[in-house]
Amino acid sequence: MSLSSRHLLGLYNVPKEDIQLILDTAVTFREVMERPIKKVPTLQGKTIVNLFFENSTRTRISFELAQKRLSADTVNFSTSTSSTKKGETFKDTVKNIEAMKVDMIVVRHQSAGVPKFLTQFSDANIINAGDGQHEHPTQALLDMYSIREKLGKLAGLKVCIVGDIAHSRVARSNIYGLKAMGAEVSVCGPTTMIPRGIENMGVKIYNRIDDAIKNSDVLNVLRIQLERKAGTSIPSLREYHNFFGVTEERLAKKEGEILILHPGPINRGVEISSEVADGPNQVILNQVANGVAIRMAVLYLLGTQN
Ligand code: CP
């Protein structure tokens, strides 16, 4: 079994079989993570470069750990200490790195489309670790893994993505992935944060968080992304919390169970209260742990293709 592409640029148009294969492969690597020695020789001899042009805690560490646990050689690139500070272009930077013979490139960039652009002049396998407001495929994969791990399935589940949908690459990748896997996807947030025409993606819209909670099995609560000018879409963070914050009081009105996800980093007291972020319904740190297994699965499947 192998993936239908040699890159992971996003989940748009990725076949269900590919997503299923990644999720199933990650189960094996999740077991490896529970062993005393959390390392397998699968990618021995492969060299992987992590190109992070934008800040990251979870994704960067998670990819690096995944690579080390697969026994690959890893190199980390950071813009602040690189020659891009001397004016070297992105393309020249990558071509110079590639001249050193690398097999795979993991890239995070503030501009949408950079991973695709890389495929035009690099022979390495390219993995998108988040590009602008476009896609964050491994985040959506680990979200789906975490839902499936807890609820046993994805097909037929009602999953609502709450918050700043317009600025969110996580929302976009989740919508593509969840729809491919047969989930019913909705979004909830202020109208200024819901992209016009999102219904055309087969997504339902809730304008009230209480309705979203009442009608969903899973809430994926997104961060209000102040660095992407989300603050201009709402009167204040306090007002956002009052109208859309996921709180214990709101969850208490729910009949039946609800699972709470958050991709992190969390703005406590804005999109989610501290009580919910640390409470019994959430799987936020499970998502982080599962992220390593998902990234191991993606690296393994792409790195061992013929
Ligand atoms: N969820 C996520 O992408 O977090 P980081 O920005 O810390 O990588």
Side-chain angles (χ1 to χ4, degrees):
M1 295 278 281
S2 63
L3 296 175
S4 58
S5 170
R6 58 183 302 268
H7 308 294
L8 181 66
L9 305 179
L11 294 187
Y12 177 68
N13 268 351
V14 169
K16 177 183 176 179
E17 293 71 26
D18 280 15
I19 295 174
Q20 190 80 46
L21 178 60
I22 295 169
L23 298 182
D24 292 346
T25 307
V27 173
T28 313
F29 289 122
R30 192 69 184 82
E31 285 161 18
V32 171
M33 287 171 61
E34 298 305 321
R35 295 180 194 163
I37 296 173
K38 303 167 182 55
K39 198 157 177 156
V40 287
T42 322
L43 291 187
Q44 216 160 37
K46 296 273 184 190
T47 305
I48 307 175
V49 178
N50 298 310
L51 289 181
F52 278 69
F53 288 85
E54 192 191 85
N55 292 346
S56 170
T57 298
R58 278 147 291 271
T59 313
R60 188 177 58 76
I61 293 176
S62 179
F63 265 114
E64 194 178 343
L65 271 177
Q67 292 153 7
K68 286 184 158 63
R69 287 175 180 173
L70 292 169
S71 305
D73 295 317
T74 68
V75 181
N76 292 317
F77 168 93
S78 153
T79 27
S80 59
T81 53
S82 77
S83 288
T84 55
K85 290 281 173 207
K86 301 176 197 163
E88 189 170 40
T89 65
F90 172 76
K91 188 171 176 180
D92 283 336
T93 301
V94 174
K95 287 181 84 153
N96 276 270
I97 291 171
E98 205 181 20
M100 300 181 220
K101 304 289 174 206
V102 301
D103 299 295
M104 306 175 90
I105 296 176
V106 177
V107 60
R108 169 171 286 197
H109 202 283
Q110 58 277 12
S111 299
V114 161
K116 175 99 189 281
F117 176 57
L118 261 176
T119 63
Q120 291 168 17
F121 57 88
S122 170
D123 291 329
N125 301 104
I126 308 298
I127 301 173
N128 181 1
D131 63 329
Q133 296 174 26
H134 178 226
E135 285 225 41
H136 192 350
T138 56
Q139 179 67 49
L141 287 162
L142 74 88
D143 291 344
M144 286 189 279
Y145 184 101
S146 303
I147 296 169
R148 196 181 76 161
E149 179 181 57
K150 209 72 185 170
L151 303 182
K153 62 176 185 177
L154 290 166
L157 284 180
K158 295 186 171 79
V159 182
C160 183
I161 307 168
V162 183
D164 185 5
I165 312 300
H167 293 92
S168 176
R169 56 194 177 206
V170 175
R172 197 181 293 265
S173 289
N174 261 279
I175 291 169
Y176 295 140
L178 285 163
K179 297 279 299 170
M181 298 307 287
E184 289 179 36
V185 185
S186 59
V187 294
C188 175
T191 45
T192 48
M193 289 182 163
I194 305 288
R196 197 173 292 176
I198 197 166
E199 304 94 321
N200 298 334
M201 293 172 80
V203 170
K204 190 178 166 114
I205 299 174
Y206 290 111
N207 297 119
R208 295 181 64 248
I209 187 67
D210 293 316
D211 293 338
I213 292 171
K214 183 177 169 194
N215 294 308
S216 303
D217 302 304
V218 181
L219 290 189
N220 196 345
V221 185
L222 303 181
R223 181 171 66 92
I224 296 300
Q225 300 187 64
L226 297 171
E227 78 280 15
R228 295 189 203 278
K229 299 191 172 61
T232 58
S233 306
I234 49 174
S236 70
L237 296 181
R238 182 189 291 264
E239 181 137 324
Y240 181 84
H241 181 72
N242 288 342
F243 280 91
F244 291 98
V246 178
T247 60
E248 273 188 320
E249 298 74 49
R250 287 190 159 126
L251 293 186
K253 289 187 233 152
K254 165 86 179 167
E255 285 175 22
E257 296 294 311
I258 190 159
L259 188 68
I260 308 292
L261 280 77
H262 191 306
I266 296 171
N267 294 313
R268 288 174 184 265
V270 181
E271 69 269 3
I272 190 168
S273 70
S274 263
E275 292 75 24
V276 175
D278 300 324
N281 297 81
Q282 57 79 29
V283 287
I284 296 170
L285 292 181
N286 299 46
Q287 287 173 263
V288 177
N290 294 337
V292 179
I294 281 291
R295 286 161 182 137
M296 286 174 84
V298 169
L299 291 163
Y300 162 73
L301 289 165
L302 292 178
T304 56
Q305 274 173 338
N306 291 326

